[in-house]
Amino acid sequence: MRVHIATDHAGLELSDYLVKHLTAKGFEMVNHGPKSYDPEDDYPAFCINAAKAVVADQRAGVDALGIVLGGSGNGEQIAANKVEGIRAALAWNLDTAKLAREHNNANVIAVGGRQHSVEEAAELIEAFLAEPFSEAERHVRRIGKIAAYETTGEVID
């Protein structure tokens, strides 16, 4: 599986760890930055570029997911979710990480680097990457309604 990762300065240490850790586990890691620590950097471009790469890969039939990191993960999740086709979920425990995939077929996980130890964050992300989408009809239906709004602006009851 290809995994696109992006962060800001607050998640850089975690991002560097995850690139090495997940590469060793067999994932193809694509780092969208930043490459070095800058306390004044802005996460939107990094996260949007990672999200765009996830969508492009998935549309091309590549098995791909994404990771966006920051201090809390909130802004990074918001930035990623601005990309059409992205369902980014903020995970703060194992249940939210797994349910993001199982129920919502999330294709990007957001994690706060200042909210977890490196080991805890890695555990959340590995759980997310391993969890399959349930394919349950109710979840497919709900995701379809979100996608319809995203592409047409129509709200479906």
Side-chain angles (χ1 to χ4, degrees), residues 24-62:
K25 291 193 169 275
F27 292 95
E28 178 189 350
M29 300 300 295
V30 181
N31 191 344
H32 293 270
K35 300 296 183 201
S36 61
Y37 181 80
D38 176 359
E40 296 297 317
D41 67 10
D42 295 324
Y43 59 83
F46 302 129
C47 295
I48 290 168
N49 285 332
K52 287 172 58 177
V54 169
V55 170
D57 274 352
Q58 289 182 337
R59 289 182 178 160
V62 176

Side-chain angles (χ1 to χ4, degrees), residues 13-14 17 111-124:
E13 182 179 325
L14 176 57
Y17 172 83
V111 175
R114 293 180 176 155
Q115 311 305 311
H116 308 279
S117 69
V118 169
E119 296 79 15
E120 289 171 339
E123 183 180 22
L124 297 178

Side-chain angles (χ1 to χ4, degrees), residues 80-119:
N81 273 320
K82 297 301 179 186
V83 175
E84 183 179 322
I86 288 297
R87 290 175 306 284
L90 180 66
W92 62 91
N93 63 28
L94 281 175
D95 285 340
T96 58
K98 290 178 182 179
L99 288 171
R101 291 284 305 134
E102 182 185 351
H103 289 186
N104 306 112
N105 200 16
N107 49 10
V108 172
I109 185 172
V111 175
R114 293 180 176 155
Q115 311 305 311
H116 308 279
S117 69
V118 169
E119 296 79 15

